[in-house]
Amino acid sequence: MFAGFDYGTSHCAIGVWADKTNAVEIVTLEGDKPLVPSTLHAPKVALKLPRAANRQLLTDAEEFTELRFGEAALAEYLADPTQGYFVKSPKSFLGVAGLSEDIRERFVTVIAAMMANVKRRTDAQMNASVDAVVIGRPVNFQGLGGKNANEQSLMMLEESAQLAGFKQVAFQYEPMAAALEYEARLTSEQQILVVDIGGGTTDCSFVRVGATRRESLDRQADVLGHSGERRGGNDYDQALALYAVMREFGYGDLLKSGLPVPNSYFVDAVSTNDVNAQQRFYSKATRERLEFFAREAIPVDRARRLLEVCEQRATYRVLRGVELAKIALSDAELAHIDFSDIEQGFSVATTGEQLLVSFERLLEHLKSLVDEAIASAGLAPERVYLTGGMAKSRVVREFLVATYPGVSFIDSDHFLSVTEGLTLWSQRLFR
Ligand SMILES: Nc1ncnc2c1ncn2[C@@H]1O[C@H](COP(=O)(O)OP(=O)(O)OP(=O)(O)O)[C@@H](O)[C@H]1O
Ligand SMILES: [Mg+2]
């Protein structure tokens, strides 16, 4: 059996090709949902997972069955952030420069475990072993290493997929995959600009699609231009957090001495997809500074909340609250974030206006990225195909519509179009 696997920063989804119906079948991964959040929780910080002689993870070993994934992992972590080991969005760490051998090994194990969980559910649902898989890849992975970031990321993903038990592994660009799903519905030839704004990355690709292209195995020539950057939904969350939420945690406050509480502590706190920033925030040195601010800031109660975030190891929880507010503000003018676990009765109200202002800089980046893809293809876009969760945001969509008048916008299944395309590709590649 063949599968298309969207190993996303925020969510994973997988599809298999069903010969019976001659169509993509999306696998149910958690509860009755096709998407499982890219999270893992282990009861112990040391992550030792037994492997078979061929290095494949043994998914019936106790150490594996103790792991939690997706919403279940998040729930386990939120119940007590000081216990066990929790990871979210390991994809965003893949391209980090200067990874030590230990850390590299740990990430590969984490990703392999997540993939093995997905494979196990897929095999059970299909009543067969899925051995060949096409995994989606962004044009550029997050990380500071440029070309090296991409090579390193692909090697780690491939190794993880093998440890998870996939025997044949291929990659396809995520935006091309999204376009393949659209192509399957086309009778004419079109040049479309795919804009995929996910959790960790934004990819723009100009692609040629059409009924006549469909059977071709080499689609390189149909990628007419592209651009990509390591900014996505997480960055929008952070922007909203700094603009509208961190104020209530003492951002911008002064100390009795008249000096400001340095911004860097707040930036580190909200940078939940930056390992170094999180290490800094939870370090002993930071803790001491935060204790000092909690005595010396005016007013002290706001500064105390930041110390509480540090003591409770609650940065993910804070950012998750902000993310939910961001999503709610897509349809509402006001969203409250409940922080009563940080301080009794404490909540922060966020508004559509704050969302607009906090997104401004990111939307300018988005415009330059879209323009770069247009310039690299040397074509004027007639159609923009929107996909990825962040492109569901009303603010983002309205910005693009206003910035590119005369262009028609095609909406997809923002969360599954990449998976569908990857599965279509797996069928062509492996059949
Ligand atoms: N209705 C919505 N409005 C705004 N943002 C949303 C909405 N729904 C989801 N998101 C955001 O979309 C992002 C996740 O998108 P998606 O699931 O496409 O990412 P991904 O494929 O896992 O990541 P990547 O493609 O970068 O690897 C998150 O930042 C989430 O907050
Ligand atoms: Mg994606």
Side-chain angles (χ1 to χ4, degrees), residues 5 7 49 51 54-57 59 64 90-91 94 103-119 133 135 152-169 171:
F5 191 167
Y7 184 74
L49 298 178
R51 297 177 180 184
N54 65 359
R55 300 188 68 231
Q56 203 176 311
L57 292 182
T59 51
F64 191 93
K91 184 180 182 182
L94 284 170
I103 305 263
R104 185 190 186 280
E105 181 61 26
R106 172 169 280 252
F107 277 126
V108 167
T109 306
V110 165
I111 295 167
M114 285 181 175
M115 289 182 169
N117 172 54
V118 167
K119 185 176 188 304
V133 67
I135 301 175
Q152 172 179 302
S153 303
L154 290 177
M155 275 171 63
M156 287 169 74
L157 278 182
E158 184 164 355
E159 192 180 331
S160 306
Q162 278 158 357
L163 294 180
F166 292 110
K167 309 241 160 12
Q168 256 179 300
V169 182
F171 292 97

Tab-separated table of all heavy atoms in Angstrom, residues 5 7 49 51 54-57 59 64 90-91 94 103-119 133 135 152-169 171:
chain	number	residue	atom	x	y	z
A	5	PHE	N	1.973	11.390	3.247
A	5	PHE	CA	2.052	11.756	4.663
A	5	PHE	C	2.420	13.236	4.775
A	5	PHE	O	3.499	13.643	4.363
A	5	PHE	CB	3.123	10.880	5.319
A	5	PHE	CG	3.183	10.932	6.836
A	5	PHE	CD1	3.921	9.974	7.522
A	5	PHE	CD2	2.532	11.907	7.572
A	5	PHE	CE1	4.008	9.987	8.908
A	5	PHE	CE2	2.602	11.929	8.953
A	5	PHE	CZ	3.343	10.970	9.621
A	7	TYR	N	3.608	15.542	7.173
A	7	TYR	CA	4.181	15.664	8.514
A	7	TYR	C	4.324	17.161	8.790
A	7	TYR	O	5.365	17.760	8.536
A	7	TYR	CB	5.531	14.924	8.593
A	7	TYR	CG	6.086	14.953	9.998
A	7	TYR	CD1	5.531	14.157	10.987
A	7	TYR	CD2	7.103	15.829	10.351
A	7	TYR	CE1	5.976	14.228	12.282
A	7	TYR	CE2	7.565	15.903	11.655
A	7	TYR	CZ	6.994	15.102	12.613
A	7	TYR	OH	7.421	15.191	13.908
A	49	LEU	N	13.579	4.291	23.524
A	49	LEU	CA	12.554	3.442	22.928
A	49	LEU	C	13.208	2.201	22.318
A	49	LEU	O	14.115	2.339	21.488
A	49	LEU	CB	11.786	4.217	21.860
A	49	LEU	CG	11.029	5.452	22.357
A	49	LEU	CD1	10.353	6.171	21.196
A	49	LEU	CD2	9.997	5.076	23.412
A	51	ARG	N	14.241	-0.928	20.066
A	51	ARG	CA	14.202	-1.096	18.615
A	51	ARG	C	14.462	-2.537	18.228
A	51	ARG	O	15.117	-3.270	18.966
A	51	ARG	CB	15.293	-0.237	17.962
A	51	ARG	CG	15.081	1.239	18.194
A	51	ARG	CD	16.226	2.005	17.596
A	51	ARG	NE	16.056	3.437	17.796
A	51	ARG	CZ	16.871	4.341	17.306
A	51	ARG	NH1	17.934	3.970	16.611
A	51	ARG	NH2	16.649	5.611	17.515
A	54	ASN	N	16.571	-4.453	12.966
A	54	ASN	CA	16.699	-3.542	11.812
A	54	ASN	C	16.520	-2.072	12.224
A	54	ASN	O	16.306	-1.225	11.378
A	54	ASN	CB	15.685	-3.920	10.736
A	54	ASN	CG	14.251	-3.726	11.201
A	54	ASN	OD1	14.000	-3.318	12.339
A	54	ASN	ND2	13.304	-4.012	10.336
A	55	ARG	N	16.587	-1.788	13.501
A	55	ARG	CA	16.491	-0.460	14.105
A	55	ARG	C	15.063	0.091	14.182
A	55	ARG	O	14.824	1.135	14.777
A	55	ARG	CB	17.402	0.572	13.406
A	55	ARG	CG	18.885	0.207	13.449
A	55	ARG	CD	19.769	1.326	12.942
A	55	ARG	NE	19.790	2.479	13.807
A	55	ARG	CZ	19.583	3.732	13.402
A	55	ARG	NH1	19.347	3.973	12.139
A	55	ARG	NH2	19.623	4.733	14.240
A	56	GLN	N	14.127	-0.622	13.588
A	56	GLN	CA	12.745	-0.153	13.618
A	56	GLN	C	12.227	-0.085	15.059
A	56	GLN	O	12.543	-0.959	15.871
A	56	GLN	CB	11.906	-1.152	12.823
A	56	GLN	CG	10.618	-0.579	12.290
A	56	GLN	CD	9.904	-1.614	11.435
A	56	GLN	OE1	10.500	-2.239	10.558
A	56	GLN	NE2	8.629	-1.816	11.708
A	57	LEU	N	11.444	0.952	15.373
A	57	LEU	CA	10.886	1.075	16.730
A	57	LEU	C	9.903	-0.054	17.011
A	57	LEU	O	9.101	-0.409	16.146
A	57	LEU	CB	10.142	2.405	16.885
A	57	LEU	CG	10.955	3.687	16.856
A	57	LEU	CD1	10.035	4.887	17.072
A	57	LEU	CD2	12.045	3.661	17.915
A	59	THR	N	6.739	-0.951	18.451
A	59	THR	CA	5.576	-0.180	18.909
A	59	THR	C	4.751	-0.927	19.958
A	59	THR	O	3.878	-0.344	20.573
A	59	THR	CB	4.657	0.201	17.727
A	59	THR	OG1	4.375	-0.981	16.984
A	59	THR	CG2	5.301	1.218	16.826
A	64	PHE	N	6.923	2.348	24.438
A	64	PHE	CA	6.206	3.010	23.347
A	64	PHE	C	4.728	3.203	23.702
A	64	PHE	O	4.170	4.271	23.450
A	64	PHE	CB	6.320	2.213	22.038
A	64	PHE	CG	5.834	2.990	20.842
A	64	PHE	CD1	6.708	3.749	20.073
A	64	PHE	CD2	4.472	3.021	20.513
A	64	PHE	CE1	6.242	4.501	18.992
A	64	PHE	CE2	4.003	3.777	19.449
A	64	PHE	CZ	4.901	4.511	18.686
A	90	PRO	N	8.195	19.288	16.309
A	90	PRO	CA	9.630	19.043	16.091
A	90	PRO	C	10.085	19.393	14.679
A	90	PRO	O	11.271	19.648	14.464
A	90	PRO	CB	9.794	17.547	16.371
A	90	PRO	CG	8.439	16.965	16.310
A	90	PRO	CD	7.477	18.047	16.681
A	91	LYS	N	9.135	19.460	13.741
A	91	LYS	CA	9.528	19.814	12.374
A	91	LYS	C	10.237	21.170	12.334
A	91	LYS	O	11.135	21.377	11.516
A	91	LYS	CB	8.278	19.853	11.482
A	91	LYS	CG	8.556	20.111	10.014
A	91	LYS	CD	7.239	20.119	9.256
A	91	LYS	CE	7.403	20.322	7.770
A	91	LYS	NZ	6.090	20.363	7.105
A	94	LEU	N	14.061	20.942	12.856
A	94	LEU	CA	14.892	20.084	11.996
A	94	LEU	C	16.071	20.805	11.357
A	94	LEU	O	17.136	20.223	11.190
A	94	LEU	CB	14.025	19.476	10.878
A	94	LEU	CG	13.109	18.320	11.278
A	94	LEU	CD1	12.144	17.995	10.152
A	94	LEU	CD2	13.950	17.099	11.621
A	103	ILE	N	21.200	15.599	20.611
A	103	ILE	CA	19.931	16.269	20.317
A	103	ILE	C	19.363	15.754	19.002
A	103	ILE	O	18.164	15.520	18.867
A	103	ILE	CB	20.127	17.806	20.247
A	103	ILE	CG1	20.777	18.306	21.531
A	103	ILE	CG2	18.828	18.512	19.945
A	103	ILE	CD1	19.853	18.852	22.563
A	104	ARG	N	20.273	15.549	18.037
A	104	ARG	CA	19.828	15.043	16.741
A	104	ARG	C	19.135	13.693	16.931
A	104	ARG	O	18.032	13.455	16.438
A	104	ARG	CB	21.030	14.896	15.807
A	104	ARG	CG	20.651	14.479	14.402
A	104	ARG	CD	21.864	14.111	13.565
A	104	ARG	NE	21.472	13.865	12.204
A	104	ARG	CZ	20.921	12.708	11.801
A	104	ARG	NH1	20.707	11.731	12.654
A	104	ARG	NH2	20.570	12.555	10.538
A	105	GLU	N	19.794	12.830	17.689
A	105	GLU	CA	19.273	11.491	17.951
A	105	GLU	C	17.898	11.566	18.630
A	105	GLU	O	16.970	10.846	18.296
A	105	GLU	CB	20.294	10.757	18.840
A	105	GLU	CG	19.959	9.329	19.203
A	105	GLU	CD	19.841	8.416	17.981
A	105	GLU	OE1	20.480	8.722	16.939
A	105	GLU	OE2	19.106	7.418	18.078
A	106	ARG	N	17.789	12.493	19.569
A	106	ARG	CA	16.530	12.643	20.294
A	106	ARG	C	15.409	13.084	19.351
A	106	ARG	O	14.313	12.549	19.370
A	106	ARG	CB	16.708	13.653	21.428
A	106	ARG	CG	15.416	14.029	22.136
A	106	ARG	CD	15.678	14.810	23.400
A	106	ARG	NE	16.043	13.930	24.482
A	106	ARG	CZ	15.238	13.644	25.529
A	106	ARG	NH1	14.051	14.190	25.619
A	106	ARG	NH2	15.620	12.840	26.466
A	107	PHE	N	15.708	14.052	18.479
A	107	PHE	CA	14.674	14.508	17.550
A	107	PHE	C	14.261	13.419	16.583
A	107	PHE	O	13.079	13.251	16.282
A	107	PHE	CB	15.107	15.776	16.807
A	107	PHE	CG	14.856	17.001	17.620
A	107	PHE	CD1	15.864	17.905	17.889
A	107	PHE	CD2	13.594	17.230	18.154
A	107	PHE	CE1	15.632	19.013	18.681
A	107	PHE	CE2	13.345	18.338	18.944
A	107	PHE	CZ	14.374	19.236	19.202
A	108	VAL	N	15.241	12.678	16.089
A	108	VAL	CA	14.915	11.588	15.170
A	108	VAL	C	14.009	10.581	15.881
A	108	VAL	O	13.011	10.112	15.319
A	108	VAL	CB	16.209	10.932	14.616
A	108	VAL	CG1	15.894	9.620	13.933
A	108	VAL	CG2	16.910	11.882	13.650
A	109	THR	N	14.308	10.280	17.138
A	109	THR	CA	13.490	9.332	17.895
A	109	THR	C	12.068	9.868	18.090
A	109	THR	O	11.085	9.145	17.908
A	109	THR	CB	14.139	9.054	19.273
A	109	THR	OG1	15.489	8.650	19.051
A	109	THR	CG2	13.410	7.961	20.025
A	110	VAL	N	11.979	11.148	18.447
A	110	VAL	CA	10.660	11.761	18.646
A	110	VAL	C	9.835	11.697	17.362
A	110	VAL	O	8.665	11.288	17.356
A	110	VAL	CB	10.821	13.232	19.105
A	110	VAL	CG1	9.511	13.996	18.975
A	110	VAL	CG2	11.328	13.281	20.537
A	111	ILE	N	10.455	12.099	16.257
A	111	ILE	CA	9.726	12.138	14.980
A	111	ILE	C	9.365	10.715	14.550
A	111	ILE	O	8.248	10.449	14.086
A	111	ILE	CB	10.552	12.881	13.907
A	111	ILE	CG1	10.713	14.342	14.333
A	111	ILE	CG2	9.888	12.792	12.540
A	111	ILE	CD1	11.736	15.119	13.545
A	112	ALA	N	10.312	9.787	14.740
A	112	ALA	CA	10.042	8.390	14.385
A	112	ALA	C	8.856	7.861	15.190
A	112	ALA	O	7.995	7.158	14.662
A	112	ALA	CB	11.284	7.537	14.634
A	113	ALA	N	8.807	8.209	16.476
A	113	ALA	CA	7.700	7.733	17.315
A	113	ALA	C	6.374	8.302	16.806
A	113	ALA	O	5.372	7.589	16.698
A	113	ALA	CB	7.938	8.130	18.767
A	114	MET	N	6.365	9.598	16.465
A	114	MET	CA	5.130	10.204	15.933
A	114	MET	C	4.710	9.513	14.643
A	114	MET	O	3.536	9.234	14.413
A	114	MET	CB	5.361	11.685	15.640
A	114	MET	CG	5.420	12.544	16.857
A	114	MET	SD	5.675	14.238	16.299
A	114	MET	CE	5.549	15.084	17.843
A	115	MET	N	5.699	9.251	13.782
A	115	MET	CA	5.392	8.605	12.501
A	115	MET	C	4.915	7.170	12.723
A	115	MET	O	4.017	6.691	12.039
A	115	MET	CB	6.625	8.616	11.598
A	115	MET	CG	6.961	9.994	11.066
A	115	MET	SD	8.401	9.884	9.974
A	115	MET	CE	8.371	11.523	9.243
A	116	ALA	N	5.542	6.489	13.699
A	116	ALA	CA	5.152	5.102	13.970
A	116	ALA	C	3.721	5.050	14.487
A	116	ALA	O	2.959	4.138	14.168
A	116	ALA	CB	6.109	4.473	14.982
A	117	ASN	N	3.345	6.059	15.268
A	117	ASN	CA	1.965	6.129	15.755
A	117	ASN	C	0.996	6.262	14.579
A	117	ASN	O	-0.016	5.578	14.501
A	117	ASN	CB	1.840	7.316	16.718
A	117	ASN	CG	0.402	7.586	17.123
A	117	ASN	OD1	-0.283	6.691	17.605
A	117	ASN	ND2	-0.076	8.807	16.896
A	118	VAL	N	1.350	7.139	13.639
A	118	VAL	CA	0.507	7.346	12.458
A	118	VAL	C	0.468	6.068	11.605
A	118	VAL	O	-0.597	5.640	11.146
A	118	VAL	CB	1.036	8.548	11.632
A	118	VAL	CG1	0.397	8.600	10.258
A	118	VAL	CG2	0.798	9.845	12.390
A	119	LYS	N	1.612	5.436	11.460
A	119	LYS	CA	1.666	4.214	10.642
A	119	LYS	C	0.822	3.100	11.268
A	119	LYS	O	0.087	2.394	10.588
A	119	LYS	CB	3.120	3.752	10.473
A	119	LYS	CG	3.245	2.548	9.539
A	119	LYS	CD	4.687	2.156	9.310
A	119	LYS	CE	4.824	1.094	8.229
A	119	LYS	NZ	4.048	-0.114	8.472
A	133	VAL	N	5.920	5.471	1.205
A	133	VAL	CA	5.288	6.727	1.610
A	133	VAL	C	5.938	7.933	0.926
A	133	VAL	O	7.153	7.967	0.734
A	133	VAL	CB	5.344	6.869	3.159
A	133	VAL	CG1	6.761	7.052	3.677
A	133	VAL	CG2	4.458	7.990	3.661
A	135	ILE	N	6.415	11.805	1.634
A	135	ILE	CA	6.297	12.775	2.723
A	135	ILE	C	6.423	14.177	2.128
A	135	ILE	O	7.270	14.421	1.263
A	135	ILE	CB	7.402	12.526	3.776
A	135	ILE	CG1	7.278	11.101	4.346
A	135	ILE	CG2	7.333	13.550	4.912
A	135	ILE	CD1	8.397	10.708	5.300
A	152	GLN	N	19.877	18.619	5.973
A	152	GLN	CA	19.807	18.022	7.308
A	152	GLN	C	18.373	17.582	7.638
A	152	GLN	O	18.149	16.472	8.122
A	152	GLN	CB	20.297	19.053	8.318
A	152	GLN	CG	20.103	18.660	9.774
A	152	GLN	CD	20.655	19.734	10.719
A	152	GLN	OE1	21.835	20.073	10.660
A	152	GLN	NE2	19.819	20.271	11.569
A	153	SER	N	17.406	18.436	7.324
A	153	SER	CA	16.013	18.131	7.637
A	153	SER	C	15.544	16.889	6.884
A	153	SER	O	14.886	16.017	7.452
A	153	SER	CB	15.116	19.305	7.264
A	153	SER	OG	15.540	20.462	7.922
A	154	LEU	N	15.881	16.817	5.598
A	154	LEU	CA	15.427	15.674	4.796
A	154	LEU	C	16.051	14.375	5.290
A	154	LEU	O	15.382	13.340	5.369
A	154	LEU	CB	15.766	15.889	3.312
A	154	LEU	CG	14.937	16.976	2.627
A	154	LEU	CD1	15.388	17.171	1.189
A	154	LEU	CD2	13.447	16.637	2.662
A	155	MET	N	17.342	14.453	5.653
A	155	MET	CA	18.000	13.239	6.157
A	155	MET	C	17.341	12.758	7.442
A	155	MET	O	17.117	11.567	7.650
A	155	MET	CB	19.492	13.498	6.392
A	155	MET	CG	20.316	13.304	5.130
A	155	MET	SD	22.010	13.853	5.354
A	155	MET	CE	22.537	12.723	6.626
A	156	MET	N	17.035	13.709	8.320
A	156	MET	CA	16.419	13.327	9.602
A	156	MET	C	15.009	12.771	9.391
A	156	MET	O	14.611	11.810	10.042
A	156	MET	CB	16.421	14.518	10.562
A	156	MET	CG	17.820	14.803	11.104
A	156	MET	SD	17.941	16.381	11.974
A	156	MET	CE	17.090	16.016	13.493
A	157	LEU	N	14.269	13.381	8.459
A	157	LEU	CA	12.914	12.876	8.192
A	157	LEU	C	12.951	11.470	7.603
A	157	LEU	O	12.167	10.597	7.966
A	157	LEU	CB	12.177	13.808	7.221
A	157	LEU	CG	11.518	15.045	7.801
A	157	LEU	CD1	10.805	15.823	6.694
A	157	LEU	CD2	10.524	14.696	8.906
A	158	GLU	N	13.910	11.266	6.689
A	158	GLU	CA	13.995	9.952	6.043
A	158	GLU	C	14.372	8.877	7.068
A	158	GLU	O	13.778	7.799	7.112
A	158	GLU	CB	15.018	9.985	4.901
A	158	GLU	CG	15.046	8.678	4.163
A	158	GLU	CD	15.747	8.753	2.799
A	158	GLU	OE1	16.132	9.871	2.381
A	158	GLU	OE2	15.910	7.693	2.196
A	159	GLU	N	15.356	9.214	7.900
A	159	GLU	CA	15.774	8.264	8.933
A	159	GLU	C	14.601	7.945	9.875
A	159	GLU	O	14.358	6.778	10.207
A	159	GLU	CB	16.946	8.871	9.716
A	159	GLU	CG	17.651	7.878	10.606
A	159	GLU	CD	18.814	8.548	11.367
A	159	GLU	OE1	19.405	9.524	10.850
A	159	GLU	OE2	19.100	8.075	12.483
A	160	SER	N	13.880	8.982	10.265
A	160	SER	CA	12.733	8.781	11.163
A	160	SER	C	11.692	7.880	10.518
A	160	SER	O	11.147	6.985	11.170
A	160	SER	CB	12.071	10.118	11.501
A	160	SER	OG	13.006	11.012	12.016
A	161	ALA	N	11.411	8.124	9.233
A	161	ALA	CA	10.390	7.334	8.542
A	161	ALA	C	10.807	5.863	8.498
A	161	ALA	O	9.967	4.966	8.643
A	161	ALA	CB	10.172	7.880	7.135
A	162	GLN	N	12.113	5.621	8.318
A	162	GLN	CA	12.578	4.235	8.291
A	162	GLN	C	12.463	3.585	9.667
A	162	GLN	O	12.023	2.451	9.792
A	162	GLN	CB	13.996	4.150	7.742
A	162	GLN	CG	13.964	4.171	6.220
A	162	GLN	CD	15.256	4.620	5.583
A	162	GLN	OE1	16.196	4.987	6.291
A	162	GLN	NE2	15.304	4.591	4.265
A	163	LEU	N	12.834	4.337	10.703
A	163	LEU	CA	12.686	3.810	12.064
A	163	LEU	C	11.218	3.507	12.374
A	163	LEU	O	10.900	2.602	13.141
A	163	LEU	CB	13.210	4.810	13.096
A	163	LEU	CG	14.708	5.104	13.088
A	163	LEU	CD1	15.045	6.110	14.167
A	163	LEU	CD2	15.497	3.826	13.313
A	164	ALA	N	10.329	4.291	11.754
A	164	ALA	CA	8.892	4.083	11.986
A	164	ALA	C	8.367	2.881	11.210
A	164	ALA	O	7.234	2.460	11.417
A	164	ALA	CB	8.116	5.342	11.591
A	165	GLY	N	9.181	2.366	10.285
A	165	GLY	CA	8.785	1.140	9.579
A	165	GLY	C	8.403	1.326	8.114
A	165	GLY	O	7.998	0.378	7.459
A	166	PHE	N	8.553	2.555	7.603
A	166	PHE	CA	8.306	2.738	6.166
A	166	PHE	C	9.533	2.251	5.403
A	166	PHE	O	10.665	2.629	5.735
A	166	PHE	CB	8.032	4.212	5.846
A	166	PHE	CG	6.735	4.720	6.413
A	166	PHE	CD1	6.736	5.636	7.465
A	166	PHE	CD2	5.521	4.295	5.904
A	166	PHE	CE1	5.545	6.111	7.999
A	166	PHE	CE2	4.324	4.770	6.435
A	166	PHE	CZ	4.342	5.676	7.478
A	167	LYS	N	9.322	1.422	4.385
A	167	LYS	CA	10.461	0.831	3.685
A	167	LYS	C	10.928	1.703	2.528
A	167	LYS	O	12.096	1.727	2.191
A	167	LYS	CB	10.085	-0.561	3.168
A	167	LYS	CG	9.468	-1.448	4.258
A	167	LYS	CD	10.265	-2.680	4.526
A	167	LYS	CE	10.025	-3.351	5.858
A	167	LYS	NZ	8.871	-2.954	6.675
A	168	GLN	N	9.986	2.368	1.887
A	168	GLN	CA	10.346	3.230	0.764
A	168	GLN	C	9.868	4.641	1.088
A	168	GLN	O	8.687	4.837	1.419
A	168	GLN	CB	9.605	2.764	-0.485
A	168	GLN	CG	10.460	1.994	-1.470
A	168	GLN	CD	9.585	1.573	-2.639
A	168	GLN	OE1	8.599	0.854	-2.450
A	168	GLN	NE2	9.956	2.005	-3.833
A	169	VAL	N	10.783	5.596	0.967
A	169	VAL	CA	10.433	6.966	1.349
A	169	VAL	C	10.784	7.925	0.216
A	169	VAL	O	11.898	7.879	-0.313
A	169	VAL	CB	11.213	7.391	2.620
A	169	VAL	CG1	10.825	8.800	3.049
A	169	VAL	CG2	10.974	6.410	3.766
A	171	PHE	N	10.016	12.191	-1.258
A	171	PHE	CA	9.525	13.504	-0.830
A	171	PHE	C	8.879	14.240	-1.998
A	171	PHE	O	9.231	14.026	-3.150
A	171	PHE	CB	10.684	14.359	-0.279
A	171	PHE	CG	11.236	13.823	1.013
A	171	PHE	CD1	12.375	13.021	1.033
A	171	PHE	CD2	10.597	14.089	2.215
A	171	PHE	CE1	12.877	12.516	2.218
A	171	PHE	CE2	11.081	13.581	3.407
A	171	PHE	CZ	12.228	12.800	3.415
